[in-house]
Amino acid sequence: MPRILFHFQRPSQLPVLTPVLDVLRDIDGVELAITITPINRRHLDGFDGQNRLQAEKIGLPILDDFTAWNPDAVIMAENYAHRFEGNGKLALVPERISSKGLSFTEHQAAERDNLLDLICAPGPIHKQKTEQSGKVFTSVIGTGFPKLDAVFKEGFAVQAKLKQYARISPKKKAILYAPTEVMPLSSVPILWTRIRQLANDQTHLFVKLHPRSPYSWTEDFRLLAGNDPNITLVREDDLASFLALADVVISDTSSAYLEAILLDKPVVLFENPNQREYPLYQSNDLEYMFQKAAFVTSSFEELNTAVQVYLADPEQHQEERAEARLQLHVDLDGNSAQRVADAILGLLDGIQDSIVSGKHDQADTAIILPVDHFDPENAERTLGTLKLAGAAFNLFVLPLNGHTHEWLDRLASYHPVLLNTPIDMEALQSYQYTCVLQQSVLGFNGWLTRLQNHLRMEKQLQAVVPQLAFGIPSQNPTFRLGTEISPGPQTEQLDHQLKVRIPNERVPLSVAPALSCILIRNIPQNMQIVVSSILEKGKQLPLQHVALAMDTLIEEASENAVYEAEWAYPLSPEQKQLAEERVIALADWIQMPLREQLPPDAPVFNRKGSNGKTAQPATDNGHVRLARHYINRNKRHEAEKQVRFGLEKDPDHPELIALARELGILTGREQ
Amino acid sequence: MKIVYYAKRNLHVPHLLPVSNWIRDNHPEVEQVFASPPYIPSMEDMPGVGLNETLITDLKHRGYDWIGPSKIGNWRPDVTVMADADFGGIDWQGCIANVNHGLISKGTFYTNRQTVQRENGADLILVPGSHHAKVLQKMLHKPVLATGFVKFDPVGRGELTQQSAREKYGIGAKDRVVTFAPTYNIELSAVPVITDGLRTFANQGLKVLVKLHGMSPESWKQMYRLLALLEENIIYVDDMDLTPSIMAADVVISDVSSAFMEAMALNRPVILVNNPLQKRFPAYDPNDIEYAWRDVGVQVGTRHEIIKSVHHALDHPEDKEDRRKFYGPKLVGPIDGRAAERASTAIMQLAAQYTQRHSQVSAGWNPS
């Protein structure tokens, strides 16, 4: 029985998602619940007590702790995927049909949509813009815009009836003013209340502000409406009915104007001269693409004239509107909610794959998994990591120092395609990407899909590595700051920034400490060298353009062991060994940004200047270095331990043998 | 009269607490509370916000109430005292006094750039030394007063000495101590230059105190914590306050951190590491004191030079003492244990003016 959670960020999303919810409610075996965001007055967002009553009317449980409910899918009208990661498949049924530099756009901000599993696009143009953006690789299905379903269904009230409901004479013309709330894009800061001049005995002006408009705007228009019987400030969230009753719609870049075009309403647009100041401004976004279906004005006088022209002749631009409708909406049949519901159920059934690359038989990634010993804990960890990959792949196991059949059996039971050493490079060439994954790595949800997306987005990138998890727990995609640390708008913002904004950034590899997991774009001439150099740890990576993917996280079992060592004083010899190696690795990593920007012979990094104890990484597993360290500090017992440990691993090591003699320890051979 | 101490970050508390303590001791009739924004720990390249639970508990143990920012408005303070010019989020009544928290410019504070004009958001600006007052008075239209460096009051009163500081860290009186106190920016810090090279000192029998800036990247903290576990002579200092680490030192290694200014003011020889990327720092301004006053220490660029200079400074602590004594008073004023008293007195005067004006306005007085 699938559990589907609907998330409502603000009351205006109720008309978008409720039709979908109503379709799913009628399907047996589907369990539904909702979650709402509490009011945040500073950000003019969320549900206050009164709005909550509206949500309660839906008649479904409103969950505070949705994770405990364990949903299979979360449906949202705005991309808040960062809040719901780890809670099943995530689907977006957009609240807007415009772009605003956030959705259906070529703007970089759209990359956050990669955190979703499915996007339900209102029209063909939305699907096309997303798929051609080169930034979003999530599945997109054209479903239509459920918010307008009721309007397109038979039996919806005619315009005259709607006017009656709105308490104006059916003979009176209705103008709907629906501006956006974004300051540099909105017409409000230019027109302000001069818009009142459009209202008179023959014309009624309805003002519908975006719910997130500044209070000062709402207050101004409230006063205006209070003093003029020909003006109404619309409080309801039901924009569709007011669009339907309007004779002319005035807007700017608001999604409302595109919705008006869907209803074949004449539209007058007002252009804010500051629109390019909008940080996400993108001149080819949807809100600018369909301006030819409207009058575009830049002064109140022009706007007034355009309104009068349309009132006299509403058929102007009718052809352009019809053309726009074909692109902005799939069938205007009132069945969008049904199509969205089908898509979501398809996603849950696995019919609708959430990954662009498709299923395992069409996998475009080969994962090479070097296995060097049997360790049940590591085996489970690796299997878990593979299950969380997200994207389809084929697995190649590379036994390094022998292996047990049990290990391979476990892997085979999960995935049948296994390849023993030597790796067949020709077989790898048939894949677009190769991933080298160390056995001790734990990847988080969707790690492979996310890494792939980075290579898809940036063609010059040759490889990409994920972040290591320790140190910055907030970047764990399943960890939510807002609930784990302290709730509040600031943590919410930070959470959003870490999960949505930063994930879209790729940073140079200089800040990545390990290559325990790396995804490489297959480069025929180099693959053999690349793979071998990754497997031989410490060898320089023969790739120029390698980046760190901020949205992808792994944990390393071996690294954790070092960090545990911090808290276990006094350190055991093994912990000391790990700590020594970790200090060297960290020192190298910290220096790397400087080293890369300076000439190679810059004296800053001349380690020979020190006592040499932490010089170049030791080739002897560190025992020689540590033994000498303890000899210098007159800690003979510790030094002896190091030599014994070293000789256990490599009884023929000449330096260790020499040290053993120096310390008077007899090696096994001499005994 | 009501005063709220609004600490935007952990590191502001040592600058606010001496003021609140002085007012409590001398004006017990004044109601005082601490407040801070919701806590967010610092992360890579992202400074933390608010006070952590430990600090809030500590304030409560000291007898102060703590309230969340949403409650400040209802509490109706007459004065909000802060240690930073970031006045964002303050939407309650009363006037604002800023006691500031740093000694240096970092291209943002105590500079002739336009950014300092945000200080005008306060009704009273208190700075440590005459140098700071001189710079700000040219730029601001609000009153600026030099009241001294409150963090040095315990030094001025003889409560914090080299001996007491060393005892705190388990260091003997005869030990030779090097304090490493770098800043956190990758372009400015001494950390990428020396990294684990501090082991050299440890192996030579010197005691090394590592006091990182609270906003340092986690990897830096991890490396020095591990080093402290591996080397007996390396001590990782987790204190919030830098001054005891400086007091314990014979020599201080720093970069452009205000640590070197504190060290200089406390007459400790300073080794100043010039990070090779220093001039690429976005807010680099050679006129800022952290660059203009570098003749107070020995400037070095490599690990080898650092090691050599530390030994020279240990053997010749008198070198550059004239420069330290020239710059020191300009930076921190007199170290007489009375900086908090001077700051508190100025704040009390401001509060008195505000309450008087407020009561007149309430009674129908029209200031115009």
Side-chain angles (χ1 to χ4, degrees):
Chain A
M1 182 190 290
R3 290 184 155 190
I4 301 176
L5 179 72
F6 281 79
H7 169 63
F8 295 96
Q9 176 65 20
R10 60 189 72 94
S12 58
Q13 293 179 351
L14 288 166
V16 182
L17 297 184
T18 312
V20 182
L21 201 146
D22 287 339
V23 173
L24 288 168
R25 206 200 292 255
D26 293 338
I27 299 174
D28 284 342
V30 177
E31 208 176 327
L32 301 173
I34 63 175
T35 172
I36 60 174
T37 300
I39 186 79
N40 180 337
R41 295 195 190 279
R42 180 174 289 190
H43 294 108
L44 303 165
D45 209 3
F47 284 73
D48 61 14
Q50 203 178 343
N51 298 140
R52 192 184 163 94
L53 290 175
Q54 270 180 278
E56 282 171 1
K57 276 184 197 161
I58 295 173
L60 289 174
I62 301 178
L63 305 179
D64 289 327
D65 183 4
F66 52 81
T67 305
W69 193 65
N70 196 17
D72 297 298
V74 183
I75 317 300
M76 58 196 92
E78 188 173 349
N79 188 346
Y80 279 90
H82 62 292
R83 289 188 197 165
F84 298 99
E85 287 209 321
N87 288 283
K89 304 274 187 187
L90 308 180
L92 176 75
V93 183
E95 181 184 9
R96 293 188 303 261
I97 57 173
S98 58
S99 302
K100 293 271 169 43
L102 284 165
S103 333
F104 320 118
T105 174
E106 288 167 26
H107 196 281
Q108 194 191 357
E111 289 176 16
R112 66 185 186 144
D113 284 349
N114 287 314
L115 298 174
L116 299 161
D117 292 286
L118 176 69
I119 299 170
C120 296
I125 188 71
H126 301 90
K127 184 172 161 66
Q128 184 192 328
K129 291 278 278 183
T130 305
E131 288 176 349
Q132 292 177 0
S133 67
K135 294 185 172 62
V136 180
F137 307 98
T138 304
S139 282
V140 188
I141 297 183
T143 53
F145 193 45
K147 184 178 158 187
L148 295 182
D149 273 2
V151 184
F152 293 117
K153 282 213 165 124
E154 232 173 88
F156 189 74
V158 294
Q159 192 183 35
K161 195 78 182 163
L162 288 167
K163 285 183 178 174
Q164 204 180 325
Y165 290 151
R167 294 178 186 172
I168 67 165
S169 158
K171 287 179 187 167
K172 221 174 165 184
K173 296 288 185 188
I175 298 173
L176 176 66
Y177 177 43
T180 185
E181 84 286 11
V182 183
M183 194 68 85
L185 302 180
S186 180
S187 49
V188 176
I190 314 290
L191 294 173
W192 287 108
T193 45
R194 275 196 296 162
I195 199 88
R196 72 183 302 170
Q197 293 173 38
L198 297 175
N200 51 47
D201 289 343
Q202 281 80 46
T203 315
H204 194 93
L205 179 68
F206 292 92
V207 180
K208 171 78 180 81
L209 295 178
H210 190 279
R212 296 187 69 187
S213 299
Y215 281 132
S216 58
W217 297 7
T218 316
E219 197 56 21
D220 285 347
F221 283 102
R222 192 181 63 78
L223 284 172
L224 199 64
N227 293 322
D228 191 330
N230 297 316
I231 300 176
T232 303
L233 177 63
V234 177
R235 296 287 193 176
E236 294 82 1
D237 289 312
D238 177 20
L239 174 69
S241 299
F242 288 91
L243 284 171
L245 79 78
D247 293 290
V248 174
V249 175
I250 301 171
S251 190
D252 32 54
T253 58
S254 168
S255 172
Y257 106 75
L258 296 175
E259 291 174 41
I261 287 175
L262 291 180
L263 298 181
D264 196 21
K265 299 289 174 179
V267 176
V268 181
L269 298 176
F270 187 89
E271 238 179 6
N272 184 322
N274 300 316
Q275 63 184 203
R276 279 164 205 273
E277 302 292 318
Y278 178 54
L280 304 176
Y281 175 79
Q282 191 77 19
S283 60
N284 58 354
D285 268 358
L286 290 170
E287 49 272 31
Y288 307 107
M289 277 179 72
F290 297 97
Q291 286 182 334
K292 62 183 176 199
F295 279 128
V296 183
T297 63
S298 55
S299 68
F300 178 75
E301 291 67 32
E302 278 178 27
L303 180 124
N304 194 6
T305 309
V307 169
Q308 302 314 323
V309 169
Y310 274 143
L311 286 176
D313 179 13
E315 288 182 6
Q316 280 231 23
H317 290 124
Q318 205 168 42
E319 249 176 59
E320 288 87 345
R321 292 199 291 270
E323 223 171 86
R325 275 203 297 282
L326 289 175
Q327 296 189 64
L328 283 168
H329 204 283
V330 295
D331 308 325
L332 291 167
D333 55 2
N335 290 324
S336 300
Q338 182 66 54
R339 283 188 287 270
V340 169
D342 290 345
I344 290 162
L345 293 174
L347 180 72
L348 287 173
D349 290 343
I351 299 164
Q352 174 58 53
D353 202 287
S354 60
I355 309 301
V356 156
S357 55
K359 305 191 188 337
H360 283 271
D361 57 1
Q362 303 152 8
D364 53 13
T365 301
I367 295 182
I368 299 176
L369 181 70
V371 178
D372 61 357
H373 64 285
F374 177 69
D375 173 351
E377 209 173 291
N378 261 340
E380 288 306 324
R381 197 179 175 87
T382 308
L383 289 175
T385 300
L386 294 172
K387 282 177 189 165
L388 291 172
F393 60 87
N394 280 319
L395 184 66
F396 295 79
V397 171
L398 176 66
L400 294 179
N401 303 322
H403 56 271
T404 68
H405 288 295
E406 196 182 338
W407 217 115
L408 290 179
D409 287 346
R410 275 170 180 253
L411 287 169
S413 67
Y414 174 68
H415 205 279
V417 184
L418 296 170
L419 185 75
N420 290 340
T421 186
I423 289 180
D424 179 356
M425 295 311 294
E426 271 183 35
L428 289 184
Q429 296 304 346
S430 60
Y431 294 88
Q432 277 191 56
Y433 312 111
T434 299
C435 173
V436 182
L437 179 73
Q438 300 296 336
Q439 195 186 344
S440 58
V441 163
L442 172 65
F444 289 91
N445 205 18
W447 61 271
L448 183 57
T449 310
R450 291 175 187 217
L451 289 180
Q452 286 178 342
N453 285 344
H454 288 283
L455 294 185
R456 288 181 182 125
M457 276 185 271
E458 231 168 275
K459 301 295 178 202
Q460 80 276 19
L461 262 187
Q462 291 177 318
V464 64
V465 297
Q467 286 223 96
L468 281 176
F470 49 77
I472 313 171
S474 56
Q475 286 171 353
N476 176 335
T478 58
F479 184 94
R480 183 154 179 255
L481 265 178
T483 51
E484 300 294 335
I485 294 178
S486 66
Q490 274 169 308
T491 36
E492 177 68 22
Q493 271 183 334
L494 182 67
D495 200 40
H496 188 76
Q497 185 173 351
L498 286 166
K499 306 285 174 52
V500 176
R501 210 180 79 195
I502 294 176
N504 301 326
E505 293 172 5
R506 288 160 295 278
V507 296
L509 185 61
S510 57
V511 294
L515 297 177
S516 309
C517 174
I518 181 166
L519 184 71
I520 312 150
R521 190 192 301 283
N522 277 1
I523 316 155
Q525 65 275 23
N526 283 340
M527 275 315 285
Q528 180 80 56
I529 302 166
V530 171
V531 171
S532 344
S533 64
I534 291 167
L535 295 174
E536 292 169 36
K537 289 179 190 172
K539 199 170 173 180
Q540 202 175 355
L541 195 64
L543 293 171
Q544 292 297 314
H545 302 288
V546 185
L548 177 71
M550 300 288 280
D551 61 341
T552 320
L553 204 75
I554 59 158
E555 263 182 14
E556 275 187 37
S558 56
E559 298 290 350
N560 285 347
V562 177
Y563 283 100
E564 283 158 17
E566 282 189 59
W567 312 109
Y569 191 80
L571 301 179
S572 68
E574 292 82 0
Q575 286 174 325
K576 274 186 183 163
Q577 165 80 22
L578 284 169
E580 288 281 359
E581 284 169 9
R582 186 65 186 151
V583 164
I584 294 168
L586 283 166
D588 279 346
W589 177 27
I590 291 165
Q591 279 192 348
M592 211 182 291
L594 303 197
R595 200 183 290 141
E596 282 184 351
Q597 297 184 55
L598 293 169
D601 54 349
V604 176
F605 307 107
N606 184 0
R607 282 173 170 270
K608 286 175 190 165
S610 76
N611 66 359
K613 288 195 174 71
T614 53
Q616 291 304 316
T619 53
D620 61 11
N621 292 330
H623 294 295
V624 170
R625 184 165 39 83
L626 279 172
R628 288 208 171 118
H629 168 72
Y630 289 124
I631 290 170
N632 287 344
R633 300 182 69 186
N634 292 323
K635 290 188 173 176
R636 190 187 164 85
H637 182 66
E638 294 290 338
E640 282 178 14
K641 267 205 251 177
Q642 287 301 323
V643 172
R644 285 183 205 281
F645 280 129
L647 287 172
E648 272 174 28
K649 287 184 191 167
D650 185 1
D652 297 319
H653 197 291
E655 281 183 82
L656 286 171
I657 292 169
L659 277 170
R661 287 196 182 118
E662 194 182 321
L663 292 165
I665 311 171
L666 293 178
T667 63
R669 187 181 300 169
E670 284 166 331
Q671 278 173 330
Chain B
M1 187 180 293
K2 289 170 140 188
I3 301 177
V4 61
Y5 296 87
Y6 190 53
K8 281 227 154 168
R9 292 187 193 154
N10 288 342
L11 63 93
H12 295 174
V13 173
H15 299 266
L16 298 172
L17 208 49
V19 174
S20 64
N21 287 343
W22 191 91
I23 293 178
R24 182 168 62 181
D25 294 344
N26 294 279
H27 296 277
E29 74 284 3
V30 176
E31 287 180 65
Q32 303 191 99
V33 292
F34 275 75
S36 57
Y39 180 60
I40 302 172
S42 63
M43 292 170 198
E44 302 268 345
D45 293 332
M46 204 180 281
V49 179
L51 301 183
N52 62 29
E53 276 303 316
T54 317
L55 259 180
I56 292 173
T57 309
D58 181 59
L59 287 170
K60 287 176 181 168
H61 286 159
R62 289 170 189 264
Y64 291 105
D65 284 336
W66 177 89
I67 56 175
S70 60
K71 299 205 171 129
I72 303 175
N74 290 338
W75 195 73
R76 305 185 70 78
D78 297 303
V79 183
T80 299
V81 182
M82 292 183 64
D84 195 283
D86 175 7
F87 305 120
I90 297 183
D91 55 3
W92 51 87
Q93 71 280 25
C95 49
I96 299 173
N98 177 12
V99 298
N100 285 292
H101 67 272
L103 288 173
I104 55 167
S105 303
K106 286 209 164 180
T108 306
F109 317 100
Y110 311 128
T111 169
N112 56 5
R113 290 186 179 195
Q114 293 302 310
T115 48
V116 300
Q117 292 193 336
R118 66 189 187 141
E119 296 264 6
N120 278 320
D123 301 280
L124 176 65
I125 298 128
L126 304 177
V127 294
S130 56
H131 164 78
H132 307 107
K134 209 170 148 190
V135 174
L136 291 192
Q137 275 161 354
K138 281 185 197 161
M139 298 294 293
L140 305 178
H141 62 263
K142 292 290 178 65
V144 181
L145 290 179
T147 49
F149 196 46
V150 289
K151 265 179 50 176
F152 283 177
D153 279 355
V155 179
R157 289 195 295 265
E159 292 160 13
L160 177 62
T161 62
Q162 187 173 58
Q163 194 186 338
S164 68
R166 287 186 174 200
E167 279 168 11
K168 176 179 161 72
Y169 302 117
I171 299 173
K174 289 183 183 169
D175 282 326
R176 298 207 295 175
V177 181
V178 179
T179 291
F180 179 54
T183 190
Y184 61 92
N185 313 77
I186 186 80
E187 303 95 332
L188 301 177
S189 180
V191 169
V193 179
I194 193 158
T195 56
D196 55 340
L198 293 180
R199 292 189 109 164
T200 309
F201 300 125
N203 288 315
Q204 289 164 344
L206 304 181
K207 295 283 182 190
V208 183
L209 289 173
V210 179
K211 171 70 182 84
L212 297 185
H213 192 288
M215 279 157 64
S216 299
E218 196 57 33
S219 58
W220 298 10
K221 294 178 187 168
Q222 283 165 1
M223 182 180 68
Y224 288 115
R225 279 194 191 122
L226 284 173
L227 264 185
L229 282 179
L230 291 166
E231 298 285 357
E232 274 173 24
N233 287 340
I234 294 180
I235 297 156
Y236 184 85
V237 178
D238 229 347
D239 295 350
M240 198 170 56
D241 188 7
L242 164 76
T243 311
S245 312
I246 303 287
M247 280 302 286
D250 291 305
V251 175
V252 174
I253 305 172
S254 191
D255 33 53
V256 298
S257 162
S258 63
F260 98 75
M261 294 292 181
E262 283 201 30
M264 174 264 283
L266 295 170
N267 198 20
R268 299 296 190 275
V270 282
I271 310 302
L272 301 176
V273 179
N274 290 328
N275 183 310
L277 304 183
Q278 189 183 75
K279 290 180 182 163
R280 298 190 203 172
F281 183 61
Y284 172 77
D285 183 346
N287 297 318
D288 286 346
I289 54 170
E290 54 267 38
Y291 305 107
W293 291 11
R294 286 181 95 69
D295 60 334
V296 78
V298 180
Q299 295 190 67
V300 291
T302 67
R303 178 183 286 205
H304 179 65
E305 288 170 4
I306 296 169
I307 294 163
K308 200 173 137 195
S309 307
V310 164
H311 285 289
H312 179 84
L314 285 168
D315 295 339
H316 301 283
E318 71 285 356
D319 275 7
K320 303 262 184 186
E321 191 169 12
D322 56 332
R323 301 312 294 158
R324 297 198 288 270
K325 289 192 168 163
F326 173 73
Y327 287 125
K330 292 183 180 197
L331 194 74
V332 298
I335 304 178
D336 58 0
R338 298 182 61 193
E341 178 188 337
R342 285 187 288 272
S344 306
T345 308
I347 290 167
M348 288 300 291
Q349 282 171 2
L350 175 74
Q353 283 167 12
Y354 173 79
T355 43
Q356 188 188 8
R357 199 171 62 223
H358 191 67
S359 60
Q360 284 168 331
V361 172
S362 309
W365 176 71
N366 184 349
S368 61

